[in-house]
Amino acid sequence: MNHSTFKQLTLALVAAISIFMVQCKNEKPPAENETPPAPAATISKAAYGTTPDGQAVDKFTMKNKQGMQVDVITYGGIITSWTAPDKAGNYANVVLGYDSLAQYLRATPYFGAIIGRYGNRIAKGKFSLDGKEYKLETNDGPNTLHGGVKGFDKVVWTASEQPVDNGAALKLTYVSKDGEGGYPGTLTSTVVYHLTDDNALEVSYEATTDKKTIVNLTQHSYFNLSGDFTKNILDHELTIDADKFLPVDATLIPTGELKPVENTPFDFRQPKTIGRDIEQKDDQLTKGKGYDHCWALNGQGFRKVSTAYHAGTGRLLEISTDEPGIQFYCGNFLDGTLPMPGGGTYAHRTGFCLETQHYPDSPNQSSFPTTTLAPGEKYATKTTFKFSTK
Ligand code: GLA
């Protein structure tokens, strides 16, 4: 082959390849009436304020493909807003909260917060490990509630975006010093909020320690699925998959008994409204001022344990967890004193919490599943909140 033939062949080949590529490109012209692909989930960050001791607080906003939006601040890992669609597809915020850091700093009944190092109550603020007694700060009458005076709901967490295939995720980390609040061991905790594209929020908790300690983390969102916080939650239909609940004493510490829910107002095995039995004459309802109890969940492993449904809007919330218990609290202490964004105040029972967790006071009740964590062990638990409509 002489030089010019080679050149001609090369040119012909280049021309053929170019034509082929153009054809490939034109093979699938975009159909004019084709719906554009759904926008990818996003996560963004904005400054939210500064704590009195000078720590910067950020707000992260996660939005999934469908439009569900979850706002999380690094103070307390608080979910300040969480939108969910009604049966007409309209998104509204369904969790109680505030619209400024100042209000969260002033007074909050744990709105939307991460709770730790020990969620729920520890009797008389003390417990023993390996024969050594530890004294905690008491902040609920004689008892310690939700970690103590400065629990994980009142600290600034370090946040980083987590890469995920489906939706958006935020990882929060907090290192609690040995002796903080009276608890032994340096506890490193991480909480990942993962908003999936099918309208679920997966909350994954992990913790490790350098000394034997106790841990029981949970999430304290107050839901009102109507999206209208001037209405109470008594019309929501609830299920809790539990044959037994934990009766409490006058200070809301479990007596140690696991009592069958059968023939009591505590039976939510079939859907019933929160309000149906709440005014019944019942010693436990009197002690809790309504429902403020832990249910001993049926089954083990990760399973669906509870549902809440608001017929008016069609919003359905399904909760799955690997935890043995769930504290159902129906906003009995909301008394019209806390301000609502946009005006007004949060009235009695305008939100309910479903806090998946180990049983209250486990460190002092040897018959309850253990909440002890030793060096070399990993605490890992997961709870999913899934929204849909029906
Ligand atoms: C928990 C407790 C309730 C109440 C709320 C916050 O859920 O069980 O008794 O203290 O927190 O007000």
Side-chain angles (χ1 to χ4, degrees):
M1 202 190 307
N2 66 28
H3 182 71
S4 84
T5 321
F6 179 75
K7 207 173 160 189
Q8 275 167 7
L9 272 174
T10 312
L11 279 173
L13 196 66
V14 167
I17 289 173
S18 310
I19 290 165
F20 177 73
M21 279 171 68
V22 167
Q23 273 177 349
C24 285
K25 237 181 154 182
N26 291 342
E27 215 163 68
K28 277 191 203 148
E32 271 176 23
N33 51 4
E34 210 173 83
T35 45
T42 56
I43 180 162
S44 60
K45 176 181 164 182
Y48 196 71
T50 308
T51 61
D53 60 353
Q55 296 183 75
V57 175
D58 291 319
K59 178 167 93 171
F60 286 82
T61 298
M62 290 183 280
K63 198 166 183 176
N64 74 5
K65 274 187 178 175
Q66 300 203 47
M68 176 171 281
Q69 188 175 311
V70 180
D71 292 356
V72 177
I73 59 171
T74 51
Y75 178 77
I78 295 171
I79 296 175
T80 58
S81 167
W82 182 349
T83 69
D86 66 9
K87 56 190 165 196
N90 299 316
Y91 280 76
N93 177 30
V94 294
V95 293
L96 277 51
Y98 296 136
D99 56 6
S100 73
L101 180 61
Q103 286 183 340
Y104 284 107
L105 291 168
R106 191 175 308 126
T108 166
Y110 307 94
F111 280 156
I114 296 169
I115 306 295
R117 178 178 304 203
Y118 196 93
N120 219 313
R121 292 173 174 81
I122 295 180
K124 303 196 169 60
K126 32 184 196 185
F127 65 97
S128 295
L129 280 178
D130 296 337
K132 183 170 172 4
E133 186 176 273
Y134 294 92
K135 284 202 172 63
L136 307 172
E137 301 155 342
T138 53
N139 60 336
D140 187 54
N143 305 320
T144 299
L145 173 65
H146 293 339
V149 176
K150 190 173 179 184
F152 289 4
D153 59 298
K154 293 182 186 67
V155 301
V156 178
W157 294 66
T158 305
S160 60
E161 295 175 23
Q162 276 272 103
V164 281
D165 294 338
N166 166 8
L170 182 72
K171 181 180 181 178
L172 298 171
T173 305
Y174 178 68
V175 181
S176 171
K177 294 197 185 75
D178 183 16
E180 195 173 302
Y183 297 90
T186 311
L187 188 79
T188 303
S189 305
T190 62
V191 178
V192 176
Y193 286 125
H194 176 189
L195 174 62
T196 68
D197 282 325
D198 63 347
N199 283 352
L201 186 72
E202 293 177 5
V203 188
S204 303
Y205 308 84
E206 285 187 3
T208 53
T209 184
D210 61 0
K211 256 187 213 167
K212 203 181 245 191
T213 190
I214 56 169
V215 59
N216 190 26
L217 306 180
T218 190
Q219 221 293 329
H220 210 293
S221 283
Y222 284 67
F223 296 98
N224 183 327
L225 303 184
S226 77
D228 177 356
F229 303 154
T230 64
K231 294 189 180 135
N232 69 36
I233 45 75
L234 298 177
D235 61 347
H236 287 54
E237 275 173 35
L238 187 72
T239 68
I240 301 177
D241 186 10
D243 296 335
K244 293 179 178 158
F245 78 106
L246 278 67
V248 292
D249 69 12
T251 69
L252 298 182
I253 294 292
T255 60
E257 184 195 357
L258 263 59
K259 188 176 171 174
V261 295
E262 184 107 49
N263 297 321
T264 77
F266 293 79
D267 192 349
F268 284 96
R269 292 173 299 176
Q270 296 302 319
K272 98 178 163 187
T273 63
I274 295 173
R276 197 187 85 179
D277 297 334
I278 204 167
E279 298 303 339
Q280 270 189 28
K281 265 199 169 349
D282 177 279
D283 172 56
Q284 282 301 313
L285 284 177
T286 306
K287 291 201 165 95
K289 299 187 169 53
Y291 297 109
D292 190 358
H293 295 76
C294 187
W295 271 250
L297 294 166
N298 293 337
Q300 278 179 347
F302 191 75
R303 69 249 187 250
K304 190 173 4 165
V305 296
S306 178
T307 63
Y309 174 62
H310 182 251
T313 58
R315 288 195 182 95
L316 173 68
L317 168 63
E318 297 171 286
I319 300 180
S320 302
T321 190
D322 49 21
E323 287 282 10
I326 196 166
Q327 180 86 5
F328 167 49
Y329 165 65
C330 64
N332 308 310
F333 297 118
L334 295 175
D335 58 1
T337 54
L338 301 172
M340 220 164 25
T345 55
Y346 288 113
H348 195 217
R349 296 182 179 151
T350 46
F352 64 89
C353 306
L354 287 163
E355 308 155 47
T356 54
Q357 56 189 247
H358 271 57
Y359 303 163
D361 199 35
S362 297
N364 294 309
Q365 310 230 13
S366 54
S367 64
F368 290 174
T370 183
T371 49
T372 303
L373 184 72
E377 292 176 348
K378 188 181 229 173
Y379 169 90
T381 165
K382 184 168 125 177
T383 295
T384 299
F385 300 86
K386 177 149 182 16
F387 283 95
S388 59
T389 57
K390 66 168 191 181

